Amino acid sequence: MENINWAELPFGYFKTDYNVRSYFKNGKWSELDVCTDEAITMHMAATCLHYGQQAFEGLKAFRGIDGKIRMFRLEENAKRLAHSAHGVMMEPVPLDLFMEACKKAVKLNEKFVPPHGTGAALYLRPLLIGTGEQVGVRPATEYTFIVFVCPVGPYFKTGFKPVKMQIVRDYDRAAPLGTGTYKVGGNYAASLQASVRSQTEGFASVLFLDAKEKRYIDEAGPANFFAIKGNEYITPRSHSILRSITNMSLRELAADMGLTVVERPIAVEELADFDEAGACGTAAVITPIGEIVDREERISYKFGEEGVAGKVATELYNRLRAIQKGEIEDKFNWNTIIE
């Protein structure tokens, strides 16, 4: 294996040795197939290509301070993929098969798990696609499930430092009764124009509002939004945002720290009252937000001291990362240790 500069890894694709696959055909899932090929061969009329029958997950494995490899919240990712599969009428991957595939992919590529203390992790991408052919708009009868892995660095190059985000009103990520709660590629495709424009205008990411009223905070680009106000951890309640496993974990940690956890609609004008703001997800864990600019209204909201992450967000980040890396007790039983 080539020498890898673990501390300088980007968040991007990195070729590893193996991926694992299972195929749903004739009403049942196959045994896991270990593969070295990075390509997928499928019928040109596969439903994933024409009708968006596709869903995916993202989770991480860490080399702990004790040398053991830990996967974070594996079962919750399995449940969420099944939820997404039901949402776009795909055959869900059985929980046991999902967990076995992830464990196998990590074990086979163990040499790519970054050493403890480098700030890097092994990212797992489970992917479920409709590979059965259809020309009419209907679900496929065949599906392919793949898990591949990549060592990755921080999602944002700035690391754990406050970023600027931009509220947009001329784009929607997802409709209130649409696919927003599912981790499907169409939601990300729908966000690209707004996201790329915001990045060219100097922002780290875009902040979408609800599609119905354009009044409430929805998704923070590829992540969930949260805010701190006094002793409260506040995060949006919406029918069009993804159920973030990181956000779920932070809510439990916040409650354990003595904060009151509040899930409710968050109006844009409330941003002026928050002490801290952040985005959270698997890729970045927590990204502190230093400033939010409303593109249309030309209003700016700033949080805390410039260039410094808030105290509560920092504590949440440090606690979550310490659990992932085995540095403190995992009293929530979130980690799956690879034997």
Side-chain angles (χ1 to χ4, degrees):
M1 186 178 72
E2 61 188 283
N3 290 326
I4 299 174
N5 187 346
W6 303 106
E8 297 298 325
L9 278 173
F11 190 92
Y13 182 77
F14 190 109
K15 179 176 168 37
T16 53
D17 290 340
Y18 303 100
N19 59 83
V20 296
R21 308 182 183 194
S22 179
Y23 307 94
F24 183 83
K25 193 172 183 178
N26 298 322
K28 63 179 181 180
W29 286 99
S30 71
E31 295 295 319
L32 287 175
D33 178 31
V34 176
C35 188
T36 58
D37 195 348
E38 296 170 274
I40 304 171
T41 300
M42 69 179 77
H43 197 285
M44 62 184 177
T47 60
C48 65
L49 300 176
H50 298 265
Y51 304 122
Q53 274 204 298
Q54 178 269 4
F56 67 100
E57 274 301 316
L59 63 153
K60 287 180 177 177
F62 302 86
R63 180 84 63 180
I65 194 170
D66 55 3
K68 295 180 180 179
I69 299 172
R70 292 168 170 80
M71 279 192 291
F72 187 68
R73 307 219 71 170
L74 176 61
E75 188 170 335
E76 290 300 328
N77 281 272
K79 292 177 182 176
R80 191 170 65 179
L81 185 65
H83 175 67
S84 297
H86 285 298
V88 291
M89 296 197 71
M90 293 194 292
E91 182 66 30
V93 179
L95 187 144
D96 289 347
L97 178 62
F98 180 99
M99 295 177 70
E100 181 189 357
C102 290
K103 291 175 183 177
K104 197 175 193 77
V106 173
K107 192 67 178 175
L108 288 168
N109 295 287
E110 186 172 350
K111 67 184 181 182
F112 292 99
V113 181
H116 177 263
T118 58
L122 188 72
Y123 183 76
L124 286 78
R125 173 54 62 84
L127 173 67
L128 176 62
I129 55 176
T131 43
E133 70 275 11
Q134 294 284 4
V135 175
V137 183
R138 59 178 66 92
T141 57
E142 297 179 9
Y143 297 90
T144 298
F145 172 56
I146 303 171
V147 179
F148 67 87
V149 303
C150 306
V152 297
Y155 187 78
F156 291 109
K157 293 180 181 178
T158 53
F160 188 70
K161 292 183 180 179
V163 300
K164 290 175 63 176
M165 290 196 176
Q166 183 185 59
I167 293 174
V168 297
R169 299 169 186 271
D170 55 344
Y171 289 99
D172 292 322
R173 171 187 165 273
L177 299 179
T179 59
T181 61
Y182 310 123
K183 196 169 178 67
V184 295
N187 297 334
Y188 295 85
S191 74
L192 285 175
Q193 285 196 9
S195 297
V196 171
R197 185 184 66 182
S198 287
Q199 289 164 13
T200 61
E201 293 179 355
F203 296 89
S205 189
V206 65
L207 194 60
F208 290 100
L209 302 183
D210 73 287
K212 186 177 181 180
E213 297 185 64
K214 297 292 187 182
R215 182 185 173 192
Y216 299 101
I217 301 295
D218 227 45
E219 282 274 49
N224 276 191
F225 176 83
F226 73 91
I228 305 299
K229 181 179 179 181
N231 198 49
E232 292 184 330
Y233 177 99
I234 307 169
T235 194
R237 174 173 289 163
S238 166
H239 293 297
S240 55
I241 63 175
L242 183 69
R243 184 179 64 90
S244 165
I245 294 168
T246 304
N247 196 351
M248 180 195 311
S249 305
L250 291 175
R251 293 197 301 271
E252 292 187 58
L253 280 177
D256 190 59
M257 289 165 52
L259 276 70
T260 300
V261 175
V262 181
E263 294 179 73
R264 61 169 175 79
I266 300 174
V268 173
E269 55 267 26
E270 286 190 70
L271 292 173
D273 301 326
F274 293 146
D275 303 319
E276 302 178 30
C280 59
T282 296
V285 185
I286 289 179
T287 300
I289 302 174
E291 182 180 6
I292 295 174
V293 177
D294 190 320
R295 190 177 191 272
E296 184 177 302
E297 300 295 329
R298 299 188 181 279
I299 299 173
S300 174
Y301 304 92
K302 295 186 178 181
F303 308 95
E305 184 182 346
E306 186 173 353
V308 179
K311 290 183 179 179
V312 176
T314 300
E315 178 67 15
L316 286 167
Y317 177 81
N318 288 339
R319 287 199 186 196
L320 186 60
R321 294 281 287 150
I323 290 172
Q324 290 174 332
K325 296 183 290 184
E327 295 172 349
I328 62 174
E329 179 190 0
D330 176 21
K331 64 181 182 181
F332 302 100
N333 293 316
W334 287 340
N335 291 319
T336 299
I337 296 177
I338 303 297
E339 301 295 343

